[in-house]
Amino acid sequence: MSTLADLLAEHTTLRERAAAHLQRLVAEWQLLADLSFADFVLSVRTEAGDIVNVAQCRPNTASTVLPDDEVGRVVDPAVHPQVFGAFAEGRILRDEDPVWLGATAIRRETVPVRFIDSTGGVAVVGVLTRAVDLTHPRLPSPLELAYQNSAGDLCQMVSDGTFPQQEGNPRGLSTPRAGDGFVRIDDRGVVVYASPNALSAFHRMGWSAELGGTRLSEVTAALLTDPFESQDAALLIDAACGVSDPPTGPYRDVGMRMEANARRATVLIRAVPLAPRGASTGAVVLIRDVTEVKRRDLALISKDATIREIHHRVKNNLQSVSALLRLQARRTSNDEARTALTEAVGRVASIALVHELLSGSVDEEVDLDEAVDRLVPTLVDVASGDRPVWVRRRDRLGVLAADLAMPLVMVLTELIQNAIEHGFVAARTDARIDIHADRDVRRLRISVRDNGSGLPDGFDMTSSERLGLRIVATLVSIELGGEVSAMHNPDGPGAEFVVVIPLHREATR
């Protein structure tokens, strides 16, 4: 599906700032749709003079009256002349009589979208069509009246070119919806109407009385625990409704969102100024109780920190074990015991390295390339002794989840140790081990090649008595669900061990 930017580029030659104004309008118009109990469609004029619909919004507070997708349709002047009239006259127009779509009676209202550029120039860059269901007329409730009056002011501001404002949101806070909690205040900052959800939010914050007739900035400031947040909230609300004597202090974010902590709750607040035709009529204050969301976020942060701390401590303990094994190997005179202890050092070091990488990861994933690059020097130092062996990673292995990365790093450890200890019968200056990888969305293939003496005649990995190879076979088949094979090096003398593992188990079924 094409985005609004794509459709504007396809059909218009609007300047960048005018297009950005339409983008901001579409980002904010869910509030318009919810307050109006109406569907909205945005139309623009094409280079050829036609008018085409480029965006559509349906309300959360009422059933849609436009079930079909209107985006991309060219407006027929005979069917909807008010759209052309709004472009031409630059004022809000309304159908005199309802239009029937099937069994639904719809009243349509067109709102010109004005854009005021940096030089003061004014232009109509689009038209909003507001479609309201009139099939079952009834006396509106106080909530519906408050919604609709606010929606009327906002639509007039769209026509004036003063809504939406160009606001920053450096903290990336979301926007509360009208249904979360709606408060209408007048130009003195006094509450005219508060929805039941808004009352519940303020009661949870610690307010026990009614909100009607109170000054919202004072109520909010009294409930917040942090004195700086209290001042900011009061300034935000008072400045939004145009109070002439706001609390002293620099105001930073007019009409912006803020998150605030009360004694019993955490809330997200947003104040939307209402100033149709340039005269302030107050503001709409939206409030959302995000207490449970914050608690879950804090619980997740705490759990993540605990898991990473566990990985860090396990890594420290394993490094201590590795150091003790290395010390014991150096004090052992029995060659067979020294070899076994040396191999154990490499195994423990590989597990410790994975835990170290996981202690710095936020998503329980391991970069295999970093793991191999850091593990190889340790393995060469421990296993090769005085024999120079060059180990090189030729290809990228990628990132794997911890449950796959742990056994795979152990497999690579065993294969590299096996090549160092058994692949080269005598010291040589050109001894090398290459690690190749081939990865797609379904599987990862890794080969460990050496240029050593090669495999003995009749070698069968399944019947090998070497502990390292038995560990490799067990981990690959049981932990990784893959396959391992051994063969002669295709590039020359030496041996090659190939490990193939599925990256998604269900893809192999």
Side-chain angles (χ1 to χ4, degrees):
M1 179 180 292
S2 299
T3 65
L4 176 59
D6 295 332
L7 292 170
L8 293 178
E10 178 182 352
H11 296 291
T12 74
T13 56
L14 289 174
R15 305 293 294 177
E16 181 181 2
R17 294 193 177 188
H21 182 72
L22 293 180
Q23 294 271 19
R24 286 194 298 273
L25 176 61
V26 169
E28 298 284 359
W29 70 348
Q30 188 64 60
L31 176 62
L32 282 175
D34 291 345
L35 294 178
S36 301
F37 305 97
D39 290 67
F40 275 80
V41 177
L42 173 63
S43 308
V44 296
R45 191 184 296 277
T46 67
E47 291 184 83
D50 298 325
I51 294 178
V52 63
N53 300 328
V54 292
Q56 181 177 4
C57 181
R58 297 182 174 90
N60 295 313
T61 52
S63 300
T64 181
V65 296
L66 300 175
D68 296 332
D69 189 3
E70 300 292 327
V71 176
R73 290 188 179 180
V74 177
V75 178
D76 187 345
V79 176
H80 201 353
Q82 288 83 0
V83 175
F84 289 82
F87 264 112
E89 301 177 33
R91 63 186 180 92
I92 298 175
L93 300 175
R94 179 182 297 177
D95 285 335
E96 295 182 2
D97 299 312
V99 176
W100 287 86
L101 291 180
T104 305
I106 300 175
R107 186 187 68 198
R108 294 181 299 194
E109 183 180 84
T110 51
V111 181
V113 181
R114 276 190 174 81
F115 169 65
I116 305 174
D117 62 25
S118 57
T119 63
V122 180
V124 175
V125 295
V127 166
L128 286 183
T129 299
R130 178 164 60 166
V132 183
D133 187 357
L134 294 182
T135 307
H136 304 289
R138 60 182 177 82
L139 188 66
S141 66
L143 181 144
E144 291 171 330
L145 285 174
Y147 273 25
Q148 290 170 355
N149 290 337
S150 301
D153 287 348
L154 288 174
C155 285
Q156 182 60 52
M157 293 171 65
V158 171
S159 179
D160 297 337
T162 56
F163 182 82
Q165 297 177 346
Q166 187 169 359
E167 299 177 351
N169 187 14
R171 297 182 61 189
L173 297 175
S174 60
T175 300
R177 295 183 177 182
D180 294 325
F182 169 90
V183 182
R184 174 67 189 263
I185 56 179
D186 62 18
D187 58 353
R188 297 172 298 144
V190 176
V191 175
V192 177
Y193 176 81
S195 70
N197 284 345
L199 286 173
S200 297
F202 275 93
H203 287 167
R204 187 163 186 178
M205 292 167 66
W207 186 254
S208 57
E210 290 294 324
L211 279 178
T214 63
R215 191 166 178 206
L216 189 63
S217 61
E218 295 176 355
V219 171
T220 306
L223 295 174
L224 301 185
T225 54
D226 186 282
F228 295 103
E229 285 187 352
S230 297
Q231 185 182 34
D232 285 348
L235 290 168
L236 183 147
I237 294 170
D238 281 338
C241 65
V243 172
S244 57
D245 55 346
T248 58
Y251 183 71
R252 294 184 290 276
D253 292 324
V254 176
M256 290 289 292
R257 309 152 182 83
M258 71 170 292
E259 188 177 275
N261 294 292
R263 285 180 287 273
R264 303 177 185 173
T266 302
V267 294
L268 187 62
I269 302 173
R270 187 188 180 198
V272 182
L274 299 177
R277 299 183 178 89
S280 175
T281 61
V284 166
V285 177
L286 305 175
I287 183 168
R288 178 193 298 164
D289 184 351
V290 293
T291 307
E292 297 304 320
V293 175
K294 292 295 292 184
R295 286 178 180 174
R296 288 196 294 268
D297 288 346
L298 290 174
L300 289 174
I301 293 172
S302 176
K303 184 180 293 184
D304 179 68
T306 301
I307 291 173
R308 284 192 281 177
E309 177 63 21
I310 290 172
H311 284 305
H312 181 72
R313 295 190 181 188
V314 170
K315 180 265 296 184
N316 288 343
N317 292 336
L318 289 175
Q319 286 182 335
S320 297
V321 172
S322 178
L324 291 173
L325 290 174
R326 183 178 298 188
L327 180 63
Q328 186 66 48
R330 290 174 178 173
R331 290 177 173 270
T332 300
S333 58
N334 185 284
D335 292 339
E336 186 176 351
R338 186 185 301 109
T339 300
L341 290 171
T342 300
E343 291 177 351
V345 169
R347 291 167 187 147
V348 174
S350 66
I351 301 174
L353 175 61
V354 174
H355 281 286
E356 181 179 358
L357 295 176
L358 289 172
S359 68
S361 171
V362 296
D363 48 13
E364 287 290 295
E365 291 185 334
V366 176
D367 186 340
L368 292 177
D369 302 293
E370 181 181 1
V372 171
D373 292 345
R374 293 177 58 178
L375 184 63
V376 162
T378 301
L379 295 178
V380 172
D381 178 60
V382 172
S384 64
D386 297 330
R387 297 175 297 172
V389 178
W390 302 97
V391 182
R392 293 175 293 184
R393 176 177 57 83
R394 296 290 191 175
D395 306 295
R396 176 167 171 75
L397 304 175
V399 176
L400 282 185
D403 59 340
L404 291 178
M406 185 75 74
L408 184 56
V409 170
M410 292 184 65
V411 166
L412 292 176
T413 298
E414 297 297 338
L415 293 179
I416 295 172
Q417 282 192 152
N418 179 75
I420 293 175
E421 295 176 4
H422 304 289
F424 307 101
V425 294
R428 44 190 292 187
T429 58
D430 64 340
R432 69 175 186 272
I433 300 171
D434 293 329
I435 303 172
H436 297 268
D438 180 33
R439 180 171 180 167
D440 58 32
V441 295
R442 292 194 171 190
R443 60 105 177 107
L444 172 62
R445 182 183 186 274
I446 303 176
S447 70
V448 179
R449 300 177 186 174
D450 65 70
N451 63 343
S453 56
L455 299 173
D457 294 336
F459 177 81
D460 183 4
M461 187 168 178
T462 59
S463 60
S464 175
E465 295 298 325
R466 294 178 188 172
L467 177 59
L469 295 182
R470 297 290 294 273
I471 292 174
V472 168
T474 301
L475 290 176
V476 171
S477 62
I478 296 178
E479 297 292 329
L480 298 171
E483 299 176 350
V484 59
S485 57
M487 61 197 73
H488 294 289
N489 187 348
D491 295 334
E496 178 183 32
F497 288 83
V498 178
V499 176
V500 181
I501 63 170
L503 299 180
H504 300 283
R505 294 291 180 90
E506 60 272 14
T508 64
R509 295 175 183 172

